[in-house]
Amino acid sequence: MASNSIHQELQDQGPGEEEQYGRHGGHITSPLLRPPSSPEITPDCEVAEEWEENSPVEQVALTVPVGDDPGAPVLTFRTWVLGAASCALLSFLNAFFGYRKEPLTITAVSAQIAVLPAGRLMAAALPDTAFLRGTRWEFSLNPGPFNVKEHVLITIFANAGAGAVSGVRVMTAARIFYGRQQMPFFVALLVILTSQVMGFGWAGMFRRYLVEPPAMWWPSNLVQVSLFRALHEMERRRKDSLTRNQFFLVAFVCSFAYYIFPGYLFQMLTSLSWICWMFPNSVIAQQIGSGLHGLGIGAIGLDWSSISSYLGSPLASPWVATANVAAGFFIFVYIITPINYWFNVYKARNFPIYSDGLYRVTGQKYNISSIMDSQFHFDTDAYEENGPLYISTFFAFSYGLGFACLTATVSHVLLFHGSEIWQLSKSAFQEKKMDIHTKLMQRYNQVPEWWFICILVASVAVTMFACENYIEQLQLPWWGVLLACALAIFYTLPIGIIKATTNQAPGLNIITEYIMGYLYPGRPIANMCFKVYGYSGSHQALEFLQDFKLGHYMKIPPRAMFMAQVTGTLIAGSVYLGTAWWLMDTVPNMCNKELLPADSPWTCPNDHVFYDASVIWGLIGPHRMFGDLGTYSAVNWFFLGGAVAPLLVWSAHKAFPAQKWIVHVNAPVLIGTTSMMPPGTAVNYTTWILIAFLSGHMVYKYRRDWWERHNYLLSGALDAGLAFMAVLLYLCLGLENISFNWWGNDLDGCPLASCPTAKGIAVDGCPAHY
């Protein structure tokens, strides 16, 4: 609980949101969202004079309110109770559904909707008696009407539970795939919590670069901002149209009702691969047409969970980013992949055209346990006896694109944002023109830098203690922790700039695996831990910064946001691990595709990719895979290609300044488009691109008024409706193992898409070629 004295230096709370309303941008708004038009809400004349200085980003100017009520209570009893409960529930559900065949991410939008009636009920039922009256710790269980700032802070709590906890995958791989059942729960908890909170240090370092500048607009935040406005603003219904609340409710109900089809009754809607139906006995046709196991030509998905599962909501993607994603996907999947496969590059035809599997040269699955000794270290003699490990050419080139994306990110940021970063580094930011949101946020006490530094130092110290004292379980030496931190520091800013402007974020996972694989080969657990600390630290920093930007848009005091984020992160990590540990102890043969029933949902696609990477980079090592001893050494040239690509774009822009489209070519996004493939599939991309094009270009250009009022609301409604129906289906049918077996529940209908086409390669269930 927080004291009301948090606001002792601010104005008294203005009129309740049910009592007064102001008008801005054509909408009737509550005082907490209205323009600063009164002395009670805007004590600073300078802010009033700069009223017209809205964000230079048009989507932000159309969506984000520019008013503020600094006296509204924020860290209240309601915030703590509902925020902690939302965080814990979302953590449990996302950990639970994350192991499914089609992983489902339940976003914070679901909690954002569910807590509103709960908050208003608490405001109506709780006593308003003040405790510790007259002291700086005075507080009340019910400080007044449930307001939008409490709602935002509860959602920031929930965001912590909606994000992935990468450290859990280390434990899954260690216990299930490597059979290390002796991994102590306490050690696992240390890894989870330290890797999660370490990102606060990087977030604190880069706030002024990635939160305050208006150009860093974080597109996905606009979905939640739009939903907050719909839930809290009072709006008169226009003639022959729905209010935004009514539109959201209709879309939510439709999404909720519809998901029973792709979620249970007609699962083939996830990927309608019609080419496979036309050629049921053709391996080539099914490789081309399969949306889940092939190139996905002509495949379409009518399942929102499939559409938004890997790239996020297509309705939140700026059109420029969508165009880059579409170009990158088309070039890699429809040009590079078929050429490599049919010219048999790296023996591509011995394996499926699209797969994340680990193979022998004969096309059979590789027995990984046969090349490990009793200490889970690499056995060189056994590897020589078994022969080299192969991966599909698609998988190999996806790693190559990951190499290119890393160098392209650094090169792109230096060329296109280098001067701005230099100016900010010289503290020139305060002298630059700020938008209205940054001006309004200046009235609040900022989070001191030493808060972030203390958390960073403490998390690094605890991590080094855990690694040194549990070296047999984690395999990671103390110097590996420091090196992982150095990588996170180096890459957080450039990746953050890409994420904040395009909604796409290149990952650090490949470079962390690569470096540790060379420095410390033969130790898969150490490689996974290094990846978690190097990648997860940076990823978590971006999650925190995105939440800071959401609070920036909604005028939440930074210190309140900080407290919510820290608490939510600790709750999320603990609940994620507890849920995963419970599932691993109770679900028979979890993640083992060979032993699970054919219709089992517990196939763990994300964890399989994580495990495969630990074998490639940690156990066998990059020297034997991508070095001079490996099959795929030529893939290293992608590093150079990625560094050069932004230079070519930058040079073309300078040479042809009249061609405005050139500057919109974002090399890191274009190159890194397929970073989620695998486990992402072709149909996830094709349908996402189609919807993002319709929303971000067609509707935004030709129906701007509709887009402004409804686009982000529709995204939130689709997320929420799907989430509630998915949970309901599991509770009512999944727990009772009630299935519905017919041809419409054959997810792809392309059984031959994963077959090899090389002569003499025999695989069970596939026709032989001679």
Side-chain angles (χ1 to χ4, degrees):
M1 289 179 288
S3 166
N4 287 348
S5 64
I6 290 173
H7 310 287
Q8 62 187 359
E9 297 179 359
L10 302 175
Q11 300 288 332
D12 292 335
Q13 183 177 354
E17 57 184 308
E18 294 88 351
E19 300 176 28
Q20 295 187 11
Y21 297 93
R23 178 176 292 275
H24 172 60
H27 303 295
I28 304 298
T29 65
S30 76
L32 302 185
L33 298 176
R34 70 183 180 183
S37 56
S38 67
E40 304 84 54
I41 299 176
T42 312
D44 302 313
C45 295
E46 180 185 355
V47 176
E49 292 171 359
E50 300 292 344
W51 167 243
E52 297 300 330
E53 293 183 15
N54 208 325
S55 173
V57 179
E58 186 174 9
Q59 290 92 332
V60 175
L62 291 173
T63 306
V64 180
V66 294
D68 184 25
D69 181 358
V74 181
L75 268 179
T76 65
F77 175 78
R78 297 182 298 233
T79 302
W80 285 112
V81 171
L82 295 177
S86 300
C87 179
L89 181 60
L90 282 188
S91 300
F92 170 77
L93 292 174
N94 282 308
F96 187 87
F97 286 108
Y99 289 106
R100 289 172 23 133
K101 183 183 299 183
E102 283 292 319
L104 174 66
T105 299
I106 301 178
T107 67
V109 170
S110 304
Q112 187 176 355
I113 298 164
V115 300
L116 182 61
R120 288 177 172 166
L121 177 62
M122 292 179 74
L126 288 176
D128 58 3
T129 305
F131 297 90
L132 303 178
R133 187 183 299 275
T135 69
R136 65 188 304 264
W137 303 108
E138 179 180 338
F139 70 93
S140 171
L141 299 182
N142 191 352
F146 184 68
N147 64 70
V148 69
K149 291 195 176 187
E150 292 177 282
H151 198 180
V152 172
L153 206 57
I154 292 168
T155 304
I156 289 174
F157 259 111
N159 278 340
V165 179
S166 300
V168 171
R169 295 205 175 107
V170 176
M171 304 309 135
T172 304
R175 295 193 69 201
I176 292 181
F177 297 110
Y178 287 112
R180 303 198 72 173
Q181 295 294 332
Q182 74 275 21
M183 176 74 73
F185 182 87
F186 175 70
V187 176
L189 185 62
L190 285 180
V191 172
I192 300 299
L193 296 184
T194 53
S195 63
Q196 289 295 102
V197 302
M198 196 176 287
F200 278 108
W202 324 137
M205 294 171 60
F206 298 116
R207 281 179 302 163
R208 69 161 49 206
Y209 301 94
L210 296 173
V211 175
E212 295 174 353
M216 303 295 116
W217 60 290
W218 298 89
S220 61
N221 275 338
L222 301 187
V223 175
Q224 290 184 315
V225 172
S226 182
L227 182 53
F228 282 125
R229 295 189 67 179
L231 295 175
H232 286 271
E233 292 180 4
M234 295 292 291
E235 179 184 9
R236 295 191 183 94
R237 180 178 176 180
R238 300 177 180 179
K239 186 178 180 180
D240 300 325
S241 68
L242 300 175
T243 67
R244 291 190 297 174
N245 272 316
Q246 291 170 335
F247 175 84
F248 177 85
L249 183 61
V250 171
F252 170 81
V253 171
C254 291
S255 175
F256 177 82
Y258 174 77
Y259 187 68
I260 194 173
F261 294 100
Y264 183 72
L265 295 176
F266 194 11
Q267 297 176 20
M268 189 177 282
L269 291 172
T270 296
S271 177
L272 296 171
S273 306
W274 54 271
I275 290 180
C276 298
W277 311 339
M278 297 175 64
F279 303 96
N281 299 314
S282 171
V283 173
I284 294 176
Q286 295 197 20
Q287 286 179 333
I288 292 173
S290 173
L292 298 181
H293 304 288
L295 303 183
I297 294 179
I300 190 74
L302 300 179
D303 176 3
W304 183 251
S305 69
S306 175
I307 295 167
S308 61
S309 56
Y310 293 103
L311 293 173
S313 171
L315 303 179
S317 178
W319 165 237
V320 171
T322 301
N324 280 277
V325 169
F329 173 79
F330 181 86
I331 292 170
F332 179 57
V333 176
Y334 293 153
I335 298 178
I336 296 176
T337 297
I339 290 175
N340 286 331
Y341 191 80
W342 298 113
F343 281 93
N344 208 29
V345 177
Y346 296 132
K347 302 185 183 298
R349 299 180 68 179
N350 289 24
F351 319 111
I353 192 170
Y354 171 83
S355 172
D356 63 350
L358 309 176
Y359 300 97
R360 300 170 63 95
V361 70
T362 57
Q364 308 298 318
K365 294 285 187 179
Y366 206 102
N367 183 8
I368 301 303
S369 61
S370 68
I371 58 173
M372 288 190 301
D373 62 21
S374 59
Q375 301 299 314
F376 294 90
H377 293 168
F378 181 67
D379 188 331
T380 304
D381 295 334
Y383 186 70
E384 295 295 334
E385 182 180 343
N386 281 273
L389 180 142
Y390 281 84
I391 56 179
S392 70
T393 303
F394 183 98
F395 201 6
F397 273 76
S398 69
Y399 274 129
L401 290 177
F403 300 162
C405 187
L406 288 166
T407 52
T409 297
V410 176
S411 180
H412 173 88
V413 169
L414 290 176
L415 289 169
F416 288 93
H417 300 277
S419 60
E420 180 182 357
I421 293 172
W422 177 249
Q423 290 175 355
L424 291 172
S425 299
K426 293 189 301 183
S427 300
F429 179 78
Q430 297 299 326
E431 301 171 7
K432 295 174 68 176
K433 186 176 181 180
M434 296 177 285
D435 69 353
I436 187 65
H437 307 294
T438 302
K439 286 182 178 292
L440 289 172
M441 286 299 291
Q442 286 183 319
R443 72 182 67 192
Y444 297 108
N445 291 329
Q446 298 300 309
V447 180
E449 294 291 336
W450 66 266
W451 289 17
F452 294 102
I453 294 172
C454 287
I455 287 182
L456 176 60
V457 171
S459 61
V460 171
V462 173
T463 302
M464 295 175 67
F465 165 81
C467 290
E468 286 298 300
N469 284 272
Y470 300 98
I471 188 68
E472 292 186 5
Q473 287 85 3
L474 301 179
Q475 300 183 335
L476 183 66
W478 64 269
W479 55 263
V481 178
L482 298 180
L483 182 58
C485 292
L487 282 174
I489 292 174
F490 180 76
Y491 268 104
T492 296
L493 180 59
I495 292 177
I497 290 175
I498 303 296
K499 174 72 172 176
T501 55
T502 68
N503 209 35
Q504 303 297 322
L508 278 180
N509 53 317
I510 292 177
I511 194 63
T512 54
E513 295 164 333
Y514 196 103
I515 291 174
M516 199 58 181
Y518 261 112
L519 295 178
Y520 210 51
R523 296 168 177 84
I525 309 297
N527 194 278
M528 289 189 292
C529 290
F530 183 82
K531 176 168 66 172
V532 164
Y533 284 109
Y535 163 70
S536 183
S538 175
H539 175 76
Q540 280 299 112
L542 297 184
E543 294 293 319
F544 297 142
L545 289 164
Q546 181 165 316
D547 280 347
F548 265 114
K549 191 68 176 187
L550 175 62
H552 187 86
Y553 283 149
M554 300 304 295
K555 316 306 178 296
I556 308 299
R559 295 189 179 190
M561 284 191 290
F562 179 86
M563 295 175 67
Q565 288 176 311
V566 172
T567 307
T569 299
L570 296 176
I571 293 173
S574 303
V575 174
Y576 252 94
L577 179 60
T579 305
W581 210 269
W582 167 62
L583 289 173
M584 286 185 274
D585 286 341
T586 56
V587 177
N589 301 315
M590 183 172 166
C591 304
N592 193 327
K593 297 178 182 178
E594 285 74 25
L595 298 179
L596 285 170
D599 60 348
S600 173
W602 303 106
T603 57
C604 319
N606 288 315
D607 297 277
H608 270 282
V609 173
F610 197 88
Y611 162 71
D612 293 343
S614 74
V615 172
I616 294 169
W617 302 102
L619 183 64
I620 298 174
H623 189 56
R624 287 185 173 85
M625 290 293 296
F626 296 94
D628 54 8
L629 298 179
T631 305
Y632 306 100
S633 58
V635 174
N636 288 292
W637 287 102
F638 278 83
F639 280 115
L640 178 61
V644 171
L647 180 60
L648 297 177
V649 177
W650 183 81
S651 300
H653 172 59
K654 295 297 183 182
F656 306 101
Q659 301 297 319
K660 301 300 183 182
W661 64 271
I662 296 177
V663 75
H664 295 306
V665 177
N666 190 307
V669 174
L670 192 150
I671 294 171
T673 290
T674 54
S675 62
M676 296 304 299
M677 297 181 70
T681 60
V683 74
N684 298 135
Y685 279 75
T686 54
T687 314
W688 186 93
I689 291 169
L690 175 62
I691 294 177
F693 168 75
L694 293 175
S695 167
H697 180 67
M698 300 300 293
V699 178
Y700 182 76
K701 183 176 181 179
Y702 297 107
R703 293 294 303 275
R704 181 73 58 87
D705 57 338
W706 191 97
W707 186 97
E708 177 187 350
R709 288 171 54 82
H710 301 310
N711 181 72
Y712 294 125
L713 284 180
L714 178 60
S715 177
L718 291 173
D719 283 347
L722 179 152
F724 284 117
M725 175 55 79
V727 172
L728 183 64
L729 286 174
Y730 180 78
L731 294 177
C732 296
L733 302 173
L735 287 176
E736 301 298 328
N737 293 318
I738 301 175
S739 59
F740 189 59
N741 298 317
W742 68 300
W743 66 266
N745 279 347
D746 181 0
L747 273 181
D748 199 34
C750 305
L752 304 181
S754 296
C755 291
T757 58
K759 293 182 178 180
I761 301 298
V763 175
D764 291 343
C766 296
H769 298 268
Y770 299 102

